[in-house]
Amino acid sequence: MFLTISTTGTAARPATDLGYLLHKHPDKAQAFSTSHGTAHVFYPEADAERCTAALLLEIDPVALVRRGRGKGRGGAPDAALAQYVNDRPYAASSLLAVALSNVFSSALRGVCAARPERAAAPLPLRVEVPALPARGGPELVRRLFAPLGWTVTADPVPLDTAFPEWGDSRYVRLLLESERLTLAEALRHLYVLLPVLDDAKHYWVSADEVDKLLRAGEGWLAGHPEQQLITSRYLSRRWSLTRQARERLELVRLAEADDSEVEDIDNAVADETETEEKPTPLAVLRREAILAALGTSGAARVLDLGCGQGQLTQALLKDARYTEIVGVDVSQRALAIASRRLKLDRMGERQAARVKLVQGSLVYTDQRLRGYDAAVLSEVVEHVDPPRLPALEYAVFGHARPRTVVVTTPNAEYNVRWESLPAGHVRHGDHRFEWTREEFRAWAAAMAERYGYEAAFTSVGPDDPEVGPPTQMATFTISSEREAKAA
């Protein structure tokens, strides 16, 4: 990836002041490590009349795959080849924007102790990017940069000069020229708009990206005619973050129109009077859904399979309708924690007779688990290696064969709504897989057909209209038709 920034000057105001503003000496070639390669800064020309600073980002393809697995364009899990064969090392993108902010961080903030008056004043600037992905074409490039005071030249790059009939690629050669902007303003425009035009980021977009966008967009984004497109693309179409950014930008616009501070506008509710209720944790919603399903089934003797630290077992123990509760886990350490949680060593004799913790693997048949009314597999199946899943299925549905089985598992489609979860990653390091809604329903239907159950599905947590709920649940009951035939 390559980008150049040029300026002109006179003997009294030499162009080489660009070196002070960028905090990079024109006589030196410097290299800076980044998470995906090396950024080089050098000056192809530097004299009083004209000075050009070049930023060359040399991408390490191996680091790009290792650090960016599942993120951005070409990182989808089902596109293994695209992880290695893509345009990332050559075309301007979020990789170049991040390098720009890291290498020229002081210039981006407009800080220059050696030439403060130059940093605060407009410069004759010329920015060139030889290969820029432009999803939207040259016209979108002009719509983004022209309102900011740039003269824009965006020449489409042909797919192949030997075959002009193939038409143009989605790349442009970008030339920006202006005499009205400071260097800091120019760098902030590039930092935001390069990834916007590429419309893909190499890293997971989390909540702090809103702050980054607003800092870089200060003074120009609130009034930009393409504000909605910029915020949406910069935040990778994360609707919650985009809405948050636009609400804050609207406050900025109102404050500017009223010649006030944002704090003076956004003062309708004092911090100490905040009364909004916190959302119920997903783990609590999941337990409530399981307890509701068990209550409907009429079960009295329940297996908590993969009981972990005993949260569900504890909740079952509080309900007198459950006369026998067995928590099963392969981890002795988890069972020890569950025992402490339940206070088994201090439990009365009558209460202790209702609960038992046993060590066992769910991929093996176990005579101790036969004859129960219900079994729960809460966030368990995704921890099993796919080749061993059939063994678990038979051990539970075929051998133990409770009248009711409740299964909960993450909805992989909802993962994009977790702001702290890196793109393409599962929710827990021990998850061997995570199913989409369609995959889970297909698995449940196969289990019901194979072992003579009927399956009903329940959404757990907020049901997003696009990606569904965070947790999906299936309640299996022995088919009345099969039961009648068996009788």
Side-chain angles (χ1 to χ4, degrees):
M1 296 182 201
F2 192 65
L3 176 148
T4 61
I5 303 172
S6 304
T7 189
T8 56
T10 63
R13 299 170 68 87
T16 48
D17 281 352
L18 182 64
Y20 288 103
L21 301 181
L22 293 173
H23 297 261
K24 302 293 179 287
H25 200 289
D27 293 338
K28 297 179 181 178
Q30 301 179 55
F32 304 86
S33 294
T34 74
S35 59
H36 296 86
T38 305
H40 302 272
V41 178
F42 55 93
Y43 289 76
E45 55 183 345
D47 54 43
E49 288 74 31
R50 184 174 175 84
C51 184
T52 297
L55 174 63
L56 171 65
L57 183 57
E58 186 179 17
I59 296 296
D60 178 354
V62 175
L64 183 64
V65 173
R66 285 177 177 171
R67 295 178 180 271
R69 192 176 299 276
K71 304 170 191 171
R73 188 176 63 256
D78 59 347
L81 181 61
Q83 294 181 5
Y84 297 91
V85 183
N86 55 60
D87 63 359
R88 285 315 206 198
Y90 316 106
S93 66
S94 59
L95 287 160
L96 185 60
V98 170
L100 197 73
S101 68
N102 291 341
V103 174
F104 299 136
S105 58
S106 297
L108 202 72
R109 301 194 309 271
V111 175
C112 182
R115 297 287 191 276
E117 74 288 348
R118 293 284 270 164
L123 295 175
L125 291 171
R126 178 186 175 97
V127 176
E128 294 183 71
V129 182
L132 172 65
R135 293 180 183 268
E139 178 55 33
L140 179 59
V141 179
R142 284 186 280 270
R143 280 164 38 205
L144 294 182
F145 282 102
L148 302 175
W150 292 102
T151 299
V152 183
T153 303
D155 295 325
V157 176
L159 279 172
D160 193 320
T161 54
F163 300 94
E165 65 274 14
W166 289 2
D168 296 326
S169 69
R170 66 183 186 85
Y171 302 92
V172 299
R173 295 185 184 91
L174 177 65
L175 170 62
L176 302 174
E177 296 176 290
S178 177
E179 297 188 358
R180 299 162 44 190
L181 301 168
T182 66
L183 179 62
E185 290 171 331
L187 293 175
R188 289 198 292 267
H189 297 166
L190 293 169
Y191 175 76
V192 172
L193 297 180
L194 290 182
V196 165
L197 283 165
D198 186 27
D199 199 15
K201 284 200 170 184
H202 69 281
Y203 58 90
W204 176 250
V205 174
S206 57
D208 63 350
E209 290 296 302
V210 175
D211 294 326
K212 293 180 185 178
L213 173 62
L214 296 184
R215 281 197 301 270
E218 184 177 359
W220 63 271
L221 183 54
H224 198 290
E226 298 294 339
Q227 179 206 112
Q228 183 172 355
L229 180 143
I230 293 170
T231 54
S232 176
R233 284 195 177 189
Y234 184 88
L235 298 169
S236 296
R237 294 181 172 81
R238 298 283 307 280
W239 62 269
S240 60
L241 299 184
T242 302
R243 185 183 64 229
Q244 179 185 342
R246 297 197 66 200
E247 287 172 352
R248 291 170 62 179
L249 286 168
E250 179 62 14
L251 282 173
V252 171
R253 189 190 67 79
L254 292 173
E256 290 176 349
D258 199 40
D259 196 21
S260 304
E261 297 295 328
V262 171
E263 292 77 10
D264 297 332
I265 296 291
D266 190 22
N267 62 356
V269 179
D271 292 340
E272 60 271 15
T273 63
E274 180 63 57
T275 58
E276 183 178 349
E277 295 182 4
K278 293 183 179 180
T280 305
L282 181 58
V284 175
L285 295 174
R286 188 185 302 124
R287 281 197 296 276
E288 290 175 348
I290 292 169
L291 293 172
L294 292 175
T296 301
S297 74
R301 304 174 66 238
V302 180
L303 298 169
D304 183 4
L305 303 178
C307 64
Q309 299 178 17
Q311 291 94 330
L312 177 61
T313 301
Q314 184 181 44
L316 290 167
L317 193 58
K318 293 178 180 178
D319 193 327
R321 83 181 85 178
Y322 302 111
T323 59
E324 186 178 353
I325 305 151
V326 178
V328 184
D329 205 283
V330 73
S331 169
Q332 188 60 49
R333 181 172 178 272
L335 292 173
I337 296 173
S339 178
R340 290 196 297 270
R341 177 187 296 276
L342 298 172
K343 300 181 175 63
L344 289 183
D345 58 338
R346 289 178 281 166
M347 190 177 288
E349 184 178 343
R350 187 174 179 180
Q351 189 80 329
R354 296 175 56 216
V355 63
K356 181 167 56 175
L357 299 178
V358 299
Q359 185 178 24
S361 172
L362 301 183
V363 298
Y364 298 104
T365 58
D366 191 333
Q367 285 296 125
R368 297 173 297 176
L369 307 184
R370 289 178 63 89
Y372 283 83
D373 299 327
V376 177
L377 290 161
S378 179
E379 309 299 288
V380 170
V381 293
E382 65 273 8
H383 290 271
V384 179
D385 288 315
R388 306 191 75 185
L389 198 55
L392 177 144
E393 295 163 0
Y394 174 74
V396 175
F397 292 92
H399 184 264
R401 198 162 179 77
R403 295 182 60 82
T404 300
V405 182
V406 180
V407 179
T408 73
T409 191
N411 169 19
E413 297 167 81
Y414 194 87
N415 289 352
V416 297
R417 298 294 187 248
W418 298 116
E419 296 179 347
S420 60
L421 183 67
H425 287 229
V426 293
R427 297 186 199 176
H428 189 281
D430 189 53
H431 285 188
R432 300 321 199 243
F433 61 87
E434 287 179 357
W435 280 322
T436 63
R437 288 169 291 174
E438 182 178 354
E439 290 168 337
F440 179 58
R441 285 175 175 265
W443 174 83
M447 288 305 97
E449 174 65 24
R450 185 174 302 132
Y451 295 107
Y453 284 80
E454 295 174 350
F457 300 93
T458 305
S459 298
V460 180
D463 201 345
D464 187 284
E466 294 181 4
V467 297
T471 294
Q472 44 195 343
M473 186 174 92
T475 302
F476 298 85
T477 54
I478 289 182
S479 169
S480 55
E481 181 180 340
R482 291 280 188 98
E483 199 171 24
K485 288 182 179 178

